[in-house]
């Protein structure tokens, strides 16, 4: 009998995963809570929000779901995997305790230090005045001020000097812009280099690495403007050599899994360490205990194996028994957003041109919904257009060629995703 699978989230990442799961003969029914217009064409959207754990457990029982595949960050630190497991539902995703790798930056920093995983030196503070005194003692050494808790991807402030660091402490600890996430902050040495995203399937004991990918966090071309959830991604990541990938597996991913297992909180699910490649080597910037968005959109089109089979094997602790194959093709994903994102923007504009897309190019929906006029915008990031090709340059040309066929009022996108590679 086929499986009844639950996804939680409403991004293009969830649409991409749903699209891939739909190709699995092992999946009978897909449920996406709350989903978007894209996911509604692949399964059943459930009107439950990602942090509503009681609502998700209830819906899972009502819909006789037998597998949960974690993609986004919100539900796991609230214990969704623990609750569903108690109901006898197989889960690919971290327990509440294992999700601390992402949900507490203070905890994960201690973990990295304890296990010799290279990361920027940092100190943790819960007292504002002590934090200020520490910043003052550093003079003008550049630091990064990080709210320890989950802050919807916002709680990190990269500072150029002591003055900016004091302002950052004020924002996090006095104004409390990130709420309780900023009750504890890390003051971390600022690293210089280039970033890449590592993703790995994990079964609690072993990991299978995915290809590396790169995302673009700033809203504007040339990495200008505000930080966003991500404006585009491509894979493979330029500059990551096979030696570097092997070193990351050996020095970051494997020690992480060993450390988590030794602590009695084995890590099952997708592990996504964000990395900075510096002159001294590769450093972990942060752990994410989930799939990246928009990296997933670029990765998923390169996965040749059955995603459900891989995740089920991982959930059963049998990742060594599956073969995970990837295409040699490169992929590029360009996010189309609503003007004003990530600040304020208008919603409800008709999206045109979706039927003009090349058949082998994917449009993964994020902020979209159906109304009487058709599919309309309903969020900041509206969709991701993903194309493949023999090279990044070829994939990029095709992605932008298709992006230009889609239009809606106030549409904007970066013109330089995967440019110059
Ligand atoms: P996050 O919001 O946690 O995904 O991280 C935000 C961004 O802050 C990262 O992608 C990096 O560009 C930057 N960042 C975080 N930590 C450091 C660091 N120690 N040195 C330099 N940049 C950093
Ligand atoms: N691509 C950034 C993130 O998913 O956090």
């Amino acid at each position: 009998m086929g499986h009844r699978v639950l996804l939680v989230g409403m991004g293009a990442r969830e649409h991409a995963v749903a699209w891939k799961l739909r190709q699995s003969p092992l999946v009978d029914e897909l449920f996406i809570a709350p989903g978007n217009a894209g996911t509604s064409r692949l399964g059943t959207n459930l009107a439950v929000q990602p942090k509503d754990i009681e609502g998700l457990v209830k819906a899972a029982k009502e819909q006789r779901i037998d597998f949960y595949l974690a993609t986004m960050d919100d539900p796991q630190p609230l214990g969704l995997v623990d609750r569903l497991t108690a109901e006898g539902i197989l889960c690919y995703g971290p327990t509440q305790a294992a999700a601390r790798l992402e949900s507490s930056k203070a905890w994960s920093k201690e973990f990295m230090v304890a296990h010799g995983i290279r990361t920027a030196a940092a100190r943790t503070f819960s007292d504002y005045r002590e934090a200020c005194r520490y910043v003052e003692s550093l003079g003008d050494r550049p630091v990064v001020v990080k709210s320890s808790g989950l802050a919807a991807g916002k709680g990190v402030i990269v500072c150029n000097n002591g003055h900016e660091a004091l302002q950052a402490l004020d924002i996090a600890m006095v104004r409390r812009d990130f709420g309780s996430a900023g009750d504890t902050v890390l003051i971390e040495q600022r690293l210089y280099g280039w970033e890449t995203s590592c993703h790995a399937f994990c079964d609690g004991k072993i990991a299978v690495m995915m290809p590396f990918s790169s995302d673009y966090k700033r809203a504007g071309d040339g990495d200008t403007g505000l930080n966003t959830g991500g404006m585009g991604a491509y894979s493979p990541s330029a500059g990551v050599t096979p030696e570097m990938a092997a070193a990351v597996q050996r020095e970051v991913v494997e020690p992480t899994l060993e450390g988590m297992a030794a602590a009695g909180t084995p890590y099952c699910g997708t592990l996504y360490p964000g990395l900075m490649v510096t002159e001294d080597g590769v450093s972990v910037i942060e752990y994410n205990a989930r799939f990246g968005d928009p990296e997933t959109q670029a990765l998923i089109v390169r996965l040749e194996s059955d995603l459900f089979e891989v995740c089920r094997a991982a959930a059963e602790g049998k990742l060594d028994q599956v073969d995970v194959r990837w295409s040699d093709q490169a992929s590029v994903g360009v996010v189309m957003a609503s003007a004003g994102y990530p600040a304020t923007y208008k919603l409800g504009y008709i999206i045109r041109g979706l039927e003009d897309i090349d058949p082998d190019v994917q449009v993964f929906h994020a902020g979209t919904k159906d109304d009487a006029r058709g599919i309309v915008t309903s969020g900041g990031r509206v969709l991701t257009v993903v194309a493949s090709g023999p090279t990044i340059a070829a994939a990029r040309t095709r992605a932008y060629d298709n992006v230009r066929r889609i239009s809606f009022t106030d549409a904007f996108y970066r013109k330089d995703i995967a440019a110059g590679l």
Side-chain angles (χ1 to χ4, degrees):
M1 202 191 70
H3 291 273
R4 300 170 69 82
V5 181
L6 174 67
L7 299 176
V8 176
M10 62 290 256
R13 164 183 52 200
E14 282 71 34
H15 186 193
V17 169
W19 170 81
K20 186 69 187 170
L21 290 176
R22 258 283 143 249
Q23 296 163 30
S24 170
L26 301 168
V27 175
D28 261 0
E29 297 283 342
L30 260 180
F31 298 88
I32 311 93
N36 55 41
T39 63
S40 75
R41 278 138 179 92
L42 299 168
T44 307
N45 284 352
L46 303 172
V48 188
Q49 292 305 310
K51 290 187 178 172
D52 177 5
I53 303 303
E54 294 310 319
L56 291 169
V57 173
K58 184 162 166 276
K61 291 204 289 197
E62 276 169 12
Q63 303 294 347
R64 292 175 291 112
I65 280 156
D66 59 37
F67 195 90
Y68 168 55
L69 197 164
T71 51
M72 79 174 305
D73 49 348
D74 281 341
Q76 287 69 243
L78 298 172
L80 181 61
V81 165
D82 309 64
R83 290 289 308 279
L84 293 177
T85 304
E87 297 291 340
I89 297 171
L90 194 57
C91 295
Y92 175 73
T95 59
Q96 187 167 36
R100 265 187 305 180
L101 277 180
E102 175 168 8
S103 64
S104 169
K105 289 190 194 288
W107 189 85
S108 70
K109 184 64 75 174
E110 271 178 40
F111 176 88
M112 285 186 269
V113 172
H115 293 91
I117 297 166
R118 188 199 292 261
T119 183
R123 285 193 45 190
T124 302
F125 296 90
S126 302
D127 183 90
Y128 171 65
R129 284 183 202 292
E130 264 180 49
C132 291
R133 275 200 292 277
Y134 178 63
V135 163
E136 280 157 4
S137 77
L138 293 176
D140 258 346
R141 236 178 294 164
V143 297
V144 179
V145 174
K146 300 187 169 183
S147 293
S148 178
L150 281 179
K154 289 191 208 124
V156 174
I157 304 178
V158 180
C159 309
N160 289 306
N161 51 47
H163 175 68
E164 287 182 16
L166 289 174
Q167 280 180 328
L169 288 176
D170 185 62
I171 290 169
M173 301 185 91
V174 180
R175 272 175 34 190
R176 301 183 87 242
D177 278 16
F178 315 118
S180 60
D183 287 350
T184 299
V185 298
L186 277 75
I187 300 176
E188 183 168 305
Q189 165 201 13
R190 180 168 170 189
L191 301 175
Y192 293 89
W194 52 274
E195 290 177 53
T196 178
S197 301
C198 166
H199 283 73
F201 294 107
C202 303
D203 73 354
K205 302 185 295 278
I206 66 158
V208 173
M209 303 284 281
M210 302 188 207
F212 282 69
S213 53
S214 301
D215 76 342
Y216 291 73
K217 288 221 169 75
R218 299 296 195 95
D221 286 0
D223 286 334
T224 55
L226 295 172
N227 255 322
T228 70
M231 293 300 293
Y234 69 88
S235 176
S237 193
V240 177
T241 60
E243 294 72 37
M244 200 185 285
V248 170
Q249 175 163 10
R250 209 173 47 239
E251 291 162 20
V252 176
V253 175
E254 288 171 359
T256 301
L257 287 194
E258 283 160 22
M260 293 301 282
T265 54
Y267 188 91
C268 170
T270 297
L271 182 68
Y272 152 26
L275 306 172
M276 176 88 81
V277 183
T278 72
E279 279 179 357
D280 304 326
V282 180
S283 238
V284 176
I285 297 232
E286 58 171 358
Y287 285 112
N288 299 290
R290 55 180 172 85
F291 284 91
D293 185 343
E295 289 96 323
T296 301
Q297 294 89 299
L299 289 172
I300 212 94
V301 300
R302 299 189 60 205
L303 178 62
E304 289 177 344
S305 304
D306 181 329
L307 177 65
F308 182 79
E309 206 180 344
V310 175
C311 294
R312 183 178 61 180
E316 290 173 335
K318 297 178 184 165
L319 205 41
D320 57 335
Q321 294 178 19
V322 285
D323 180 26
V324 187
R325 294 178 317 278
W326 299 91
S327 142
D328 290 337
Q329 297 262 302
S331 59
V332 173
V334 178
V335 171
M336 297 185 77
S338 305
Y341 171 77
T344 54
Y345 43 84
K346 292 192 190 140
L347 306 175
Y349 296 119
I350 298 171
I351 304 171
R352 298 183 203 279
L354 291 172
E355 57 296 334
D356 299 330
I357 296 304
D358 291 338
D360 57 343
V361 170
Q362 305 307 323
V363 177
F364 295 126
H365 293 218
T368 68
K369 69 171 188 189
D370 286 291
D371 81 4
R373 298 165 295 161
I375 298 182
V376 302
T377 63
S378 71
R381 287 192 292 180
V382 175
L383 47 84
T384 311
V385 176
V386 186
S388 301
T391 61
I392 300 229
R396 166 183 154 74
T397 303
R398 292 203 62 213
Y400 277 105
D401 179 42
N402 281 269
V403 162
R404 284 188 289 269
R405 300 178 206 173
I406 299 175
S407 62
F408 52 88
T409 303
D410 280 356
F412 97 92
Y413 54 89
R414 275 183 66 158
K415 312 282 191 298
D416 63 346
I417 303 302
L421 298 171

